[in-house]
Amino acid sequence: MTIVLRSDDMRRRNRLRIIQIVRRGGTVSRGEIAQAATLSPATVSTISSELIVEGVLIARSAETGPSAGRGRPSTSLSVNPQFCHAVLIILKIGAVNVAIVDYAGTVIAREHFHLDMANVTMEDFRDTLITEIRQTWNASGLAAGQLARISIGIQGTTDIAGLRLLRSPMTPLTDIPVAFWLEEEFGVPVRLANDCDLIARALNWRDPERYSDNFAAILLAHGVGMGLFLRGQIINGTRSSGTEFGHMLHQADGALCRCGSNGCIEADAGDYAITRRYRGKPVNATPQSHVEPVEIIRIAEAARAGDALAAETFASAGRALGTGLAGIFALVDPFRIAFVGHGAAAFDLMEPALREVLKNSNASAASNIPIDLYVDEMPLVFEGCGIGALLEIDATQADRVGETSKP
Amino acid sequence: MTIVLRSDDMRRRNRLRIIQIVRRGGTVSRGEIAQAATLSPATVSTISSELIVEGVLIARSAETGPSAGRGRPSTSLSVNPQFCHAVLIILKIGAVNVAIVDYAGTVIAREHFHLDMANVTMEDFRDTLITEIRQTWNASGLAAGQLARISIGIQGTTDIAGLRLLRSPMTPLTDIPVAFWLEEEFGVPVRLANDCDLIARALNWRDPERYSDNFAAILLAHGVGMGLFLRGQIINGTRSSGTEFGHMLHQADGALCRCGSNGCIEADAGDYAITRRYRGKPVNATPQSHVEPVEIIRIAEAARAGDALAAETFASAGRALGTGLAGIFALVDPFRIAFVGHGAAAFDLMEPALREVLKNSNASAASNIPIDLYVDEMPLVFEGCGIGALLEIDATQADRVGETSKP
DNA sequence: CCTATTAATTCGAGCCTCAAAAAAAATCGT
DNA sequence: ACGATTTTTTTTGAGGCTCGAATTAATAGG
């Protein structure tokens, strides 16, 4: 009865630790959990049976099959897929992707809608979102109580709490209270996150060896964005989210950027910058509002076929990116970079110039940082959005300590 | 007897919390501690009497004097100055400052030695340091067992653990294992830290309201350095310490920097950059190795008296600083800056240009960030070094839970 | 069918925090 | 002067939590 507020801290943290070990491991025995969490078997036994009663975990008894030797076989624990579900929404230019994942992360449903955010009112946007979520949810046949959370990935910056979409290249609307709308409508926590942050989170989850403490994911698309991990934590603004890497100044009085400034990295490395330069337009020409990814690929092919202007265009992009990175590497030591998005398909053309700039910078050791490429960004954005939602649910559930006795 | 390794986590953290509340408060009653720590009076009573037995805290009984009304008067607790002492060392160009502080932070002794680090061997450096520490310690009359820690502030970068001085503008030596030397000699933990980080730490300690989660201290001296706090934590390299703000590139093919690169912020804003430009030398001229601070002050006075070249020199420095800051503010939202060092005495001359650059950057909201000035950096470096050492000792002491029963 | 072996649970001890009660140490009022 | 009042601190007992050790469960091998 007495709700102890502080001293259950230990139990809360151990609950979370166990949930996350199981989530990462997929199916693990109690003994393995004990080892991974450096807890005693006794404690793991107590907590995990609580979590099973709560429905968070399930024991998949003798599924091991052909047994593994003598002795009592271990029973594997897994996250219970049916515990709850999350709705994921990825807003892209012109499109809304809605997905439903179960508590184990499996995609249950997925819908694609068209939406021209460039020409839409606040009210329409709100109503459209709600309608499309409802439609997807209803089609899935899940009960309303099964919805635990809504997570949204967007291009643009949100407030630090992830409740409002402050501004986005997708729309002239600003300060859109998306999370409030949906929380009111669906009665569950709703959070927005920047797509680049989600990509970084996905990489961190997929391959924690490679993408652990310090790394960045750079999205090369129409614009240039960055998701940055330092010391294992996503770094974003102090008042708003999103590291605006694309808008770091790399050249005074440089090319004209979408944002109205001159000399942003994006203004030399974004899609519109590539086409602008390749078509011989002046660097101050108004940026195109949209470029088909194919065009970039085509220009890359031209460059590889010996087109000097195309080659120089990508080299210029590489220098812009390198200059920006050099600036960051002056503040924190060089780290691994993942280039993501269709621009990554042309990275071979940017790489020499990029590394050359790094080599000539103060942090010349940065010139041989490891770089990985992921051309298709959508799977990563989805995955990051999903894992983010699930980890938040885990934390919520870990907090609900001592509720086993009731139901 | 059974040394519990994990489950004492709670007690350990509460011990630390109490020590730090007392350290910050100076003299606080148990009741006030309970409130500040959101612990019950019972717990505070137990822990604080333990800490008194250990000698960490002392009860200063009825020192309140003329009483404060009815009821049992509260007894104030303070950090016990005699609990232990720390040696602080600040290495400046040509000089070694050694100080001894007691556990309450009071400076007990302070010595100043000359040392030309530019022309010294590893062995000489080691022997000199040890001799000077010994000399200062012996003169203080303290017992050997009273030494708990040695903290060292330096210009330059250290490894992430603060054990080695990787490189410093003060000396051609590199990778100097300073901490190992002194730990071996004195048998206590030794840590090195970058002077700018120490300045930032000092500001954070002095005025946590103003300098809390996100701010930077920028040292304007011969070079330009930065101590950066993000989310309440010092940010420095992932493999080495020190944010090399001064070596961020702000202009491709710009002025020649000490480091050999071109276009570093320092190469337009450091002392040597000011004198170089004011004396009409080309921006590629080899940097002076030392500039008397008075010279900078004199050039500033000339600028204020109407000297156009002097004014432009400082404006140029302001632009360099502004460009660097704009880059950082693209990654994390704008925050408060403290300019420290004799360069801050000329900040009025740099400010318009600096704010102008910020205003024209993508993060134009950054143009009115609050800026504070501290012309004399040494008190801040010392304070930061001292509080850093004491907080580390606190943490060590908090770990020694359950040792009350023995002595 | 019994034994060896490994996994998981149960049990009791030892900490830790907390609320409530008790003790301590002042002032106030008559 | 001295008990009543007030405020702070300590003591006491209860309830949680984790852990080691003992116990129970579940399998393979002979």
Side-chain angles (χ1 to χ4, degrees), chain A residues 222-258:
Chain A
H222 194 68
V224 174
M226 171 183 273
L228 177 61
F229 264 68
L230 289 182
R231 298 177 186 257
Q233 288 192 312
I234 288 189
I235 295 287
N236 35 29
T238 59
R239 279 190 291 277
S240 69
S241 86
T243 48
E244 303 242 33
F245 176 71
H247 298 290
M248 277 182 83
L249 181 73
H250 86 287
Q251 190 175 21
D253 303 320
L256 178 63
C257 179
R258 279 191 293 177

Tab-separated table of all heavy atoms in Angstrom, chain A residues 222-258:
chain	number	residue	atom	x	y	z
A	222	HIS	N	18.101	15.068	-49.764
A	222	HIS	CA	17.892	16.417	-50.282
A	222	HIS	C	18.676	17.408	-49.435
A	222	HIS	O	19.359	18.277	-49.944
A	222	HIS	CB	16.405	16.758	-50.273
A	222	HIS	CG	16.100	17.977	-51.079
A	222	HIS	ND1	16.227	18.004	-52.436
A	222	HIS	CD2	15.709	19.221	-50.704
A	222	HIS	CE1	15.909	19.217	-52.879
A	222	HIS	NE2	15.593	19.980	-51.846
A	223	GLY	N	18.583	17.238	-48.132
A	223	GLY	CA	19.432	17.988	-47.218
A	223	GLY	C	20.468	17.062	-46.616
A	223	GLY	O	20.599	15.909	-47.020
A	224	VAL	N	21.197	17.565	-45.652
A	224	VAL	CA	22.204	16.759	-44.969
A	224	VAL	C	21.932	16.859	-43.470
A	224	VAL	O	21.868	17.953	-42.917
A	224	VAL	CB	23.625	17.278	-45.268
A	224	VAL	CG1	24.649	16.534	-44.434
A	224	VAL	CG2	23.936	17.130	-46.747
A	225	GLY	N	21.749	15.720	-42.843
A	225	GLY	CA	21.467	15.724	-41.402
A	225	GLY	C	22.431	14.807	-40.688
A	225	GLY	O	23.145	14.018	-41.299
A	226	MET	N	22.444	14.913	-39.379
A	226	MET	CA	23.358	14.082	-38.595
A	226	MET	C	22.701	13.599	-37.307
A	226	MET	O	22.023	14.366	-36.623
A	226	MET	CB	24.622	14.873	-38.236
A	226	MET	CG	25.533	14.158	-37.249
A	226	MET	SD	26.971	15.140	-36.769
A	226	MET	CE	28.113	14.707	-38.068
A	227	GLY	N	22.911	12.336	-37.020
A	227	GLY	CA	22.554	11.802	-35.707
A	227	GLY	C	23.851	11.474	-35.013
A	227	GLY	O	24.678	10.744	-35.537
A	228	LEU	N	24.059	12.061	-33.851
A	228	LEU	CA	25.369	12.012	-33.209
A	228	LEU	C	25.291	11.336	-31.840
A	228	LEU	O	24.482	11.721	-30.997
A	228	LEU	CB	25.890	13.454	-33.061
A	228	LEU	CG	27.207	13.683	-32.353
A	228	LEU	CD1	28.352	12.980	-33.070
A	228	LEU	CD2	27.485	15.177	-32.240
A	229	PHE	N	26.116	10.328	-31.654
A	229	PHE	CA	26.244	9.684	-30.347
A	229	PHE	C	27.587	10.090	-29.741
A	229	PHE	O	28.635	9.920	-30.377
A	229	PHE	CB	26.252	8.159	-30.488
A	229	PHE	CG	24.913	7.518	-30.269
A	229	PHE	CD1	23.876	7.726	-31.165
A	229	PHE	CD2	24.685	6.685	-29.177
A	229	PHE	CE1	22.641	7.122	-30.977
A	229	PHE	CE2	23.451	6.082	-28.981
A	229	PHE	CZ	22.423	6.298	-29.879
A	230	LEU	N	27.556	10.599	-28.546
A	230	LEU	CA	28.792	10.818	-27.803
A	230	LEU	C	28.646	10.172	-26.445
A	230	LEU	O	27.638	10.355	-25.770
A	230	LEU	CB	29.075	12.321	-27.634
A	230	LEU	CG	29.497	13.099	-28.872
A	230	LEU	CD1	29.785	14.547	-28.506
A	230	LEU	CD2	30.711	12.470	-29.525
A	231	ARG	N	29.642	9.430	-26.059
A	231	ARG	CA	29.592	8.718	-24.796
A	231	ARG	C	28.307	7.906	-24.655
A	231	ARG	O	27.694	7.855	-23.599
A	231	ARG	CB	29.712	9.676	-23.618
A	231	ARG	CG	31.038	10.382	-23.649
A	231	ARG	CD	31.179	11.398	-22.561
A	231	ARG	NE	32.430	12.096	-22.810
A	231	ARG	CZ	33.547	11.876	-22.139
A	231	ARG	NH1	33.565	11.029	-21.159
A	231	ARG	NH2	34.647	12.513	-22.433
A	232	GLY	N	27.900	7.321	-25.763
A	232	GLY	CA	26.746	6.429	-25.699
A	232	GLY	C	25.403	7.123	-25.653
A	232	GLY	O	24.375	6.468	-25.579
A	233	GLN	N	25.423	8.461	-25.718
A	233	GLN	CA	24.152	9.164	-25.670
A	233	GLN	C	23.951	9.995	-26.918
A	233	GLN	O	24.900	10.573	-27.446
A	233	GLN	CB	24.110	10.105	-24.460
A	233	GLN	CG	23.977	9.381	-23.141
A	233	GLN	CD	23.650	10.369	-22.053
A	233	GLN	OE1	24.284	11.415	-21.939
A	233	GLN	NE2	22.654	10.050	-21.249
A	234	ILE	N	22.702	10.076	-27.374
A	234	ILE	CA	22.407	10.944	-28.502
A	234	ILE	C	22.602	12.389	-28.061
A	234	ILE	O	22.126	12.802	-27.017
A	234	ILE	CB	20.962	10.739	-28.986
A	234	ILE	CG1	20.838	9.388	-29.683
A	234	ILE	CG2	20.551	11.868	-29.918
A	234	ILE	CD1	19.516	9.187	-30.370
A	235	ILE	N	23.358	13.112	-28.886
A	235	ILE	CA	23.546	14.533	-28.618
A	235	ILE	C	22.596	15.299	-29.513
A	235	ILE	O	22.609	15.140	-30.718
A	235	ILE	CB	24.992	14.968	-28.973
A	235	ILE	CG1	25.987	14.278	-28.069
A	235	ILE	CG2	25.143	16.476	-28.914
A	235	ILE	CD1	26.004	14.784	-26.671
A	236	ASN	N	21.768	16.069	-28.918
A	236	ASN	CA	21.080	17.031	-29.763
A	236	ASN	C	20.945	18.333	-29.022
A	236	ASN	O	21.516	18.513	-27.965
A	236	ASN	CB	19.751	16.500	-30.298
A	236	ASN	CG	19.073	15.624	-29.311
A	236	ASN	OD1	19.254	15.797	-28.119
A	236	ASN	ND2	18.294	14.706	-29.794
A	237	GLY	N	20.235	19.235	-29.591
A	237	GLY	CA	20.196	20.585	-29.050
A	237	GLY	C	19.876	20.617	-27.566
A	237	GLY	O	19.437	19.638	-26.973
A	238	THR	N	20.118	21.766	-26.991
A	238	THR	CA	19.821	21.907	-25.571
A	238	THR	C	18.383	22.318	-25.395
A	238	THR	O	17.777	22.044	-24.387
A	238	THR	CB	20.729	22.962	-24.955
A	238	THR	OG1	20.508	24.202	-25.652
A	238	THR	CG2	22.173	22.572	-25.127
A	239	ARG	N	17.852	23.009	-26.389
A	239	ARG	CA	16.445	23.393	-26.302
A	239	ARG	C	15.632	22.709	-27.382
A	239	ARG	O	14.443	22.527	-27.254
A	239	ARG	CB	16.290	24.916	-26.441
A	239	ARG	CG	16.576	25.645	-25.142
A	239	ARG	CD	16.166	27.103	-25.249
A	239	ARG	NE	17.021	27.840	-26.148
A	239	ARG	CZ	18.200	28.349	-25.798
A	239	ARG	NH1	18.640	28.196	-24.564
A	239	ARG	NH2	18.928	29.007	-26.667
A	240	SER	N	16.292	22.302	-28.446
A	240	SER	CA	15.560	21.607	-29.492
A	240	SER	C	16.391	20.414	-29.934
A	240	SER	O	17.587	20.331	-29.656
A	240	SER	CB	15.312	22.528	-30.687
A	240	SER	OG	16.520	22.819	-31.351
A	241	SER	N	15.751	19.504	-30.601
A	241	SER	CA	16.466	18.305	-31.013
A	241	SER	C	17.162	18.540	-32.330
A	241	SER	O	16.937	19.526	-33.014
A	241	SER	CB	15.489	17.164	-31.192
A	241	SER	OG	14.971	17.221	-32.487
A	242	GLY	N	17.989	17.613	-32.704
A	242	GLY	CA	18.509	17.653	-34.053
A	242	GLY	C	19.811	18.415	-34.148
A	242	GLY	O	19.897	19.601	-33.841
A	243	THR	N	20.847	17.709	-34.530
A	243	THR	CA	22.100	18.385	-34.781
A	243	THR	C	22.050	18.849	-36.227
A	243	THR	O	21.975	18.053	-37.153
A	243	THR	CB	23.261	17.415	-34.587
A	243	THR	OG1	22.966	16.210	-35.292
A	243	THR	CG2	23.450	17.082	-33.126
A	244	GLU	N	22.094	20.139	-36.413
A	244	GLU	CA	21.927	20.683	-37.761
A	244	GLU	C	23.273	20.706	-38.471
A	244	GLU	O	23.759	21.762	-38.865
A	244	GLU	CB	21.334	22.080	-37.687
A	244	GLU	CG	20.018	22.100	-36.958
A	244	GLU	CD	18.892	22.560	-37.859
A	244	GLU	OE1	18.958	22.258	-39.066
A	244	GLU	OE2	17.986	23.211	-37.354
A	245	PHE	N	23.828	19.536	-38.626
A	245	PHE	CA	25.126	19.421	-39.269
A	245	PHE	C	25.115	20.048	-40.655
A	245	PHE	O	26.051	20.732	-41.058
A	245	PHE	CB	25.514	17.945	-39.356
A	245	PHE	CG	26.790	17.694	-40.090
A	245	PHE	CD1	27.997	18.063	-39.525
A	245	PHE	CD2	26.794	17.077	-41.334
A	245	PHE	CE1	29.187	17.825	-40.205
A	245	PHE	CE2	27.976	16.834	-42.003
A	245	PHE	CZ	29.174	17.212	-41.440
A	246	GLY	N	24.039	19.829	-41.388
A	246	GLY	CA	23.945	20.349	-42.746
A	246	GLY	C	24.036	21.858	-42.812
A	246	GLY	O	24.344	22.421	-43.858
A	247	HIS	N	23.780	22.497	-41.683
A	247	HIS	CA	23.807	23.956	-41.696
A	247	HIS	C	25.003	24.525	-40.960
A	247	HIS	O	25.023	25.688	-40.590
A	247	HIS	CB	22.486	24.502	-41.154
A	247	HIS	CG	21.316	24.098	-41.986
A	247	HIS	ND1	21.084	24.592	-43.240
A	247	HIS	CD2	20.343	23.174	-41.763
A	247	HIS	CE1	20.006	24.020	-43.747
A	247	HIS	NE2	19.538	23.144	-42.881
A	248	MET	N	25.986	23.698	-40.723
A	248	MET	CA	27.251	24.247	-40.261
A	248	MET	C	27.849	25.044	-41.413
A	248	MET	O	27.785	24.630	-42.571
A	248	MET	CB	28.234	23.134	-39.871
A	248	MET	CG	28.041	22.600	-38.476
A	248	MET	SD	29.270	21.325	-38.062
A	248	MET	CE	30.674	22.335	-37.567
A	249	LEU	N	28.425	26.157	-41.081
A	249	LEU	CA	29.072	26.981	-42.104
A	249	LEU	C	30.405	26.332	-42.469
A	249	LEU	O	31.218	26.052	-41.595
A	249	LEU	CB	29.310	28.371	-41.529
A	249	LEU	CG	29.960	29.385	-42.468
A	249	LEU	CD1	28.956	29.821	-43.524
A	249	LEU	CD2	30.453	30.574	-41.663
A	250	HIS	N	30.623	26.079	-43.757
A	250	HIS	CA	31.941	25.534	-44.106
A	250	HIS	C	32.703	26.485	-45.011
A	250	HIS	O	33.880	26.303	-45.268
A	250	HIS	CB	31.826	24.150	-44.743
A	250	HIS	CG	31.596	24.191	-46.207
A	250	HIS	ND1	30.386	24.562	-46.747
A	250	HIS	CD2	32.405	23.925	-47.252
A	250	HIS	CE1	30.464	24.501	-48.066
A	250	HIS	NE2	31.679	24.132	-48.404
A	251	GLN	N	32.044	27.500	-45.495
A	251	GLN	CA	32.730	28.422	-46.387
A	251	GLN	C	32.009	29.764	-46.352
A	251	GLN	O	30.836	29.849	-46.717
A	251	GLN	CB	32.723	27.871	-47.815
A	251	GLN	CG	33.630	28.650	-48.730
A	251	GLN	CD	33.698	28.013	-50.097
A	251	GLN	OE1	32.814	27.249	-50.485
A	251	GLN	NE2	34.749	28.321	-50.835
A	252	ALA	N	32.712	30.798	-45.907
A	252	ALA	CA	32.086	32.111	-45.838
A	252	ALA	C	31.652	32.530	-47.240
A	252	ALA	O	32.376	32.316	-48.214
A	252	ALA	CB	33.069	33.118	-45.263
A	253	ASP	N	30.461	33.079	-47.342
A	253	ASP	CA	29.928	33.532	-48.625
A	253	ASP	C	29.895	32.403	-49.656
A	253	ASP	O	30.114	32.634	-50.844
A	253	ASP	CB	30.771	34.697	-49.178
A	253	ASP	CG	30.823	35.841	-48.175
A	253	ASP	OD1	29.783	36.115	-47.563
A	253	ASP	OD2	31.909	36.411	-48.002
A	254	GLY	N	29.641	31.211	-49.201
A	254	GLY	CA	29.591	30.071	-50.107
A	254	GLY	C	28.243	29.957	-50.794
A	254	GLY	O	27.493	30.938	-50.905
A	255	ALA	N	27.935	28.767	-51.228
A	255	ALA	CA	26.720	28.543	-51.999
A	255	ALA	C	25.473	28.821	-51.166
A	255	ALA	O	25.479	28.735	-49.945
A	255	ALA	CB	26.702	27.095	-52.508
A	256	LEU	N	24.396	29.127	-51.873
A	256	LEU	CA	23.133	29.460	-51.210
A	256	LEU	C	22.429	28.194	-50.731
A	256	LEU	O	22.241	27.237	-51.482
A	256	LEU	CB	22.218	30.214	-52.182
A	256	LEU	CG	20.833	30.581	-51.649
A	256	LEU	CD1	20.945	31.532	-50.468
A	256	LEU	CD2	19.974	31.181	-52.751
A	257	CYS	N	22.023	28.236	-49.484
A	257	CYS	CA	21.370	27.079	-48.873
A	257	CYS	C	19.857	27.274	-48.876
A	257	CYS	O	19.376	28.402	-48.970
A	257	CYS	CB	21.883	26.927	-47.442
A	257	CYS	SG	21.152	25.544	-46.549
A	258	ARG	N	19.158	26.156	-48.750
A	258	ARG	CA	17.705	26.230	-48.588
A	258	ARG	C	17.308	27.173	-47.476
A	258	ARG	O	16.269	27.805	-47.496
A	258	ARG	CB	17.172	24.847	-48.183
A	258	ARG	CG	16.968	23.878	-49.255
A	258	ARG	CD	16.206	22.706	-48.716
A	258	ARG	NE	16.980	21.940	-47.742
A	258	ARG	CZ	16.497	20.886	-47.086
A	258	ARG	NH1	15.267	20.491	-47.294
A	258	ARG	NH2	17.250	20.228	-46.244
